């Protein structure tokens, strides 16, 4: 394992003069902190013997029942017995990879894909093969072709890792029409589907979509409270068919004994006693405004030749620079202009992504988003000028290796 | 991975009529729960934007500084930069094993050893080789012989895993005279020492001992707040030389992104604002009384031919049955008499341990300990009677495999 090349860059992102459009941290200050504090204090005072004690490796049973109610909002029918609580969805991903992957096995992932997943896959020596997306998400024809090619090559494909809804980093969503097709293709090739869905409830233009898992019980589903309640609790979960779930519980026990009761029972109490559905609606309004501010600013300010996605939910916009520009080479110059983003190369396992970058609108307030885009547009304009004067960049391919996300990127 | 054979047994241990001398759960109800609840509530209300947010993979910097102060109580001098906060010490063990072990590598461990460690080693396909202990802990001559034999066999020994102080499960402590010798032997064979020290501050007959790490910077040290504050927080740590520490941070990030700020900052606040040294003294008094009760009860009640260790700290007594008895075969009969323990076989990777069992005195109140030992003594007396009538048991060797500890055993 080697540190991500983008990690060093982000040591400076937290400076107050920098507008960071880089991180994926949710805006937890929007929670009623006094109320949540009072709730947690009462919980520890009243049920400390349970809250402060070891729990089971699978996670608290009542919490797992509440989790099923949360998943029902996206059409998922599930039994609490099939849920495993994890230390964030990241741990679910780690344990699944540990269970399924032998060195050299193939994992399919969207191009681009979540940087934390790529790091985990690489740490178990999986070989990530990317499948292209367009504005409607993963392209079924490309998935079919990729699977056929890998079969001809005698490769062993263990699973498709997908973030179908409000994808990180691309901000696109797999269309309803394609969902059944993707499931059918994977079933025909006997390839497991791992659906990672941290953003599904943060939808700004329509009601929540049906999860892939809602229409196929074989899907392994990763969920998280990091974006709908609070990331610092590190409470996520895996919903998996029984054979997988049994292995997950053993792997979880070996990894951490049990997830923290302290976090789990805080989430349980929050779901039991607080107006969590209304809080999610209020998060939607908050993030919708930021998403709109970012898109309006990009429309108004970005130079010709740039294109970007228009997310209907989640936290991210994926921007493509004009030909001849290199987002990684541009990043230090953008930082000098006090704006930060994540260069696209971190989201590919194959060293591509030079012309892309990820912009997040989840954390900065709207006036900061506007200012950040203004600075970014000016940097891109300068880059275009340099390209026109000195010729296009010959982008470096990123070195292969584990691109761990680094603090605060997610 | 396969479930532990003892796991099924423990589904019934939590029944109130059963005196459980099986679990290793600390008595967290002894904490001032109102005060801790108030502290946590104020923390979330006042610093929620930090407490509920993602943190760094290495763990909170101020907490790491406080951890160095805790380790100083056992003679360890360390820099906060070299500490990695983990989701319990179990995660530290898991990540170290992931980093160091290739399938077939050897890990040395005491005989018997911590069941959760054996599970983790097996999950990475390490080959555990046990080294005998006596009343003074690991036997240096046996360690030397084992290393020489493994060298002759061309085996690759990656590390010695040891719980030198108040060992789980044996309740014995590596004597001061042997500590330097064990370190020297490992240094001479270029074998890393991994010191797991969850119980060191829970000493009942003397002041805290110097940790192995106090006299050798090359030792990788695992620490935990599970027994000195609360297990449900899942806050442990690894202190490691820089090369190892850098890899640990990357592995931790891949596994869980970051440990929960919610737990970490609760521990930080507790160490900053609460009389934690006095609380540890109060835990010592509580557990000393329980230890004394157990030893007095064993002295008074156990049939001839039984022997047991006399722990100077920690949570466990290791009991050896008379010849011809089998602790695993006896366990269901003990449960029928409403007393539970952990059969010794779970603490060996090589299928031995049939005549041994682990008794814990950390959780039940003294009158329950007395009653539990009374029931156990009666069961053992019956077993002796059966042996004398029908002949000795031919103990089964336990099947090899990952013996994950199961809920509440630890």
């Amino acid at each position: 394992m080697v540190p991500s090349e983008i990690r060093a860059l982000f040591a400076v992102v937290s400076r107050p003069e920098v507008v960071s459009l880089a991180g994926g941290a949710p805006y937890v200050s929007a929670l009623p902190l006094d109320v949540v504090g009072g709730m947690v204090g009462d919980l520890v005072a009243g049920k400390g013997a349970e809250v402060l004690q070891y729990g089971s490796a699978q996670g608290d049973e009542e919490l797992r029942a509440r989790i099923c109610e949360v998943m029902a909002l996206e059409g998922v029918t599930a039994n609490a017995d099939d849920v495993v609580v994890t230390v964030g969805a990241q741990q679910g991903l780690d344990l699944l990879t540990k269970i399924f992957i032998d060195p050299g096995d193939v994992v399919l992932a969207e191009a681009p894909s979540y940087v934390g997943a790529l790091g985990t896959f690489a740490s178990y020596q999986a070989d990530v093969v990317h499948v292209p997306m367009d504005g409607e998400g993963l392209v079924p024809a490309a998935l079919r072709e990729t699977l056929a090619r890998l079969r001809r090559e005698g490769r062993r494909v263990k699973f498709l890792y997908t973030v179908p809804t409000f994808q990180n980093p691309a901000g696109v969503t797999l269309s309803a029409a394609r969902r059944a097709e993707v499931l059918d293709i994977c079933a025909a090739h006997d390839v497991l589907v791992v659906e990672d869905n941290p953003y599904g409830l943060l939808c700004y233009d329509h009601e929540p979509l049906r999860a892939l898992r809602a229409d196929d019980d074989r899907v392994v589903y990763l969920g998280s409270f990091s974006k709908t309640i609070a990331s610092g609790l590190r409470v996520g979960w895996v919903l998996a068919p029984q054979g997988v779930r049994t292995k997950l519980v053993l792997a979880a026990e070996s990894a951490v004994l049990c997830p923290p009761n302290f976090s789990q029972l805080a989430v349980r109490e929050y779901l039991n006693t607080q107006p969590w559905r209304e809080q999610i609606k209020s998060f939607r309004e908050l993030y919708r405004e930021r998403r709109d501010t970012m898109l309006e600013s990009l429309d108004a300010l970005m130079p010709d030749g740039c294109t970007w996605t228009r997310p209907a939910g989640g936290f991210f916009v994926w921007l493509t620079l004009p030909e001849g520009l290199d987002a990684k080479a541009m990043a230090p110059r953008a930082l000098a202009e006090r704006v930060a983003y994540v260069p696209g190369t971190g989201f590919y396992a194959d060293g591509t992504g030079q012309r892309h970058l990820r912009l997040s609108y989840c954390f900065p307030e709207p006036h900061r988003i506007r200012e950040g885009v203004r600075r970014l547009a000016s940097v891109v304009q300068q880059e275009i000028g340099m390209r026109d004067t000195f010729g296009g960049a010959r982008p470096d391919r990123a070195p292969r290796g584990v691109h761990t996300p680094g603090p605060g990127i997610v």
Side-chain angles (χ1 to χ4, degrees), chain A:
Chain A
M1 287 179 274
V2 295
S4 165
E5 52 178 354
I6 53 183
R7 180 188 290 260
L9 203 63
F10 286 88
V12 296
V13 165
S14 57
R15 292 189 193 153
E17 70 271 22
V18 174
V19 175
S20 177
L21 307 175
Y27 194 70
V28 293
S29 302
L31 289 165
L33 297 177
D34 282 352
V35 175
V36 175
M39 178 203 84
V40 170
D42 291 348
L43 178 69
V44 172
K47 295 186 180 168
E50 181 189 9
V51 171
L52 299 175
Q53 190 56 275
Y54 291 117
S56 82
Q58 189 172 356
D60 181 70
E61 193 173 348
E62 188 182 344
L63 173 60
R64 289 186 275 113
R66 292 293 88 71
I67 285 171
C68 291
E69 293 167 16
V70 173
M71 290 190 289
L73 299 178
E74 297 176 86
V76 173
T77 309
N79 189 307
D81 287 346
D82 295 327
V83 174
V84 181
V85 181
T86 53
V87 182
Q90 184 74 26
Q91 193 198 15
L93 199 52
D94 182 74
L95 298 177
L96 284 170
T97 310
K98 184 175 181 186
I99 290 170
F100 280 105
I101 295 298
D102 294 312
D105 286 348
V106 173
V107 172
L108 297 179
E110 286 131 355
S113 183
Y114 167 51
V115 58
L118 297 181
T120 297
F121 299 150
S123 83
Y124 290 97
Q125 297 169 267
D127 198 0
V128 173
V129 174
H130 286 290
V131 181
M133 286 191 291
D134 61 18
E136 286 186 69
L138 200 66
V139 178
L143 175 62
R144 206 177 275 115
E145 280 160 28
T146 303
L147 280 165
R149 176 174 61 77
L150 290 165
R151 176 179 284 178
R152 282 195 307 274
E153 293 171 2
R155 303 297 302 277
R156 188 163 60 170
V157 181
K158 283 292 177 69
F159 56 80
L160 166 68
Y161 169 75
T162 176
V163 185
T165 307
F166 316 138
Q167 204 239 14
N168 177 5
V172 302
T173 294
L174 187 64
S175 64
R178 285 187 182 175
R179 294 194 171 218
E181 198 174 355
V182 166
L183 290 170
D184 286 347
I185 294 167
C186 288
H189 283 80
D190 201 23
V191 165
L192 186 73
V193 174
V194 176
E195 174 180 31
D196 190 0
N197 187 28
Y199 307 103
L201 293 177
L202 297 176
C203 42
Y204 314 136
D205 298 336
H206 49 66
E207 288 301 294
L209 298 173
R210 284 178 74 78
L212 290 177
R213 170 59 177 74
D215 296 306
D216 188 341
D217 288 356
R218 293 166 298 187
V219 170
V220 174
Y221 178 97
L222 296 168
S224 174
F225 290 112
S226 286
K227 280 80 187 183
T228 49
I229 304 179
S231 47
L233 301 166
R234 312 302 300 118
V235 178
W237 69 89
V238 185
L239 169 65
Q242 197 231 324
V244 176
R245 185 257 295 164
T246 305
K247 287 191 172 64
L248 271 175
V249 172
L250 292 172
E253 191 164 308
S254 176
V256 297
L257 287 182
C258 55
N261 259 3
F262 187 56
S263 289
Q264 285 189 85
L265 303 197
V267 172
R268 183 183 80 183
E269 189 75 2
Y270 181 87
L271 294 172
N272 278 340
T273 67
Q274 303 299 309
W276 61 272
R277 287 175 179 83
E278 287 66 33
Q279 182 59 48
I280 290 176
K281 281 183 190 148
S282 139
F283 276 132
R284 280 179 199 153
E285 283 160 31
L286 178 107
Y287 293 130
R288 181 192 297 116
E289 184 194 359
R290 294 177 184 197
R291 188 268 323 251
D292 289 347
T293 301
M294 177 164 277
L295 291 178
E296 284 159 19
S297 303
L298 290 168
D299 289 343
L301 298 166
M302 289 305 284
D304 284 349
C306 292
T307 58
W308 53 89
T309 56
R310 305 190 82 83
F315 285 180
F316 306 110
V317 166
W318 185 246
L319 189 140
T320 303
L321 295 170
E323 207 156 328
L325 268 60
D326 180 335
K328 195 174 67 166
M330 186 175 81
R333 297 193 277 272
L335 263 183
E337 298 292 328
R338 296 163 295 131
V339 61
Y341 58 81
V342 185
T345 43
F347 303 99
Y348 293 84
D350 59 7
T352 60
Q354 287 82 353
R355 268 179 64 195
H356 304 284
L357 53 93
R358 189 189 77 176
L359 300 175
S360 67
Y361 48 78
C362 44
F363 198 79
E365 298 189 8
H367 74 278
R368 296 276 287 171
I369 293 174
R370 227 172 271 122
E371 176 59 21
V373 172
R374 197 193 59 72
R375 293 176 189 174
L376 181 66
S378 147
V379 172
V380 172
Q381 192 61 66
Q382 289 169 43
E383 296 285 305
I384 292 171
M386 295 221 293
R387 177 200 65 184
D388 293 347
T389 310
F390 300 107
R394 189 158 41 161
D396 293 334
R397 282 180 86 86
R400 293 187 66 135
V402 178
H403 297 270
T404 54
I409 294 185
V410 187

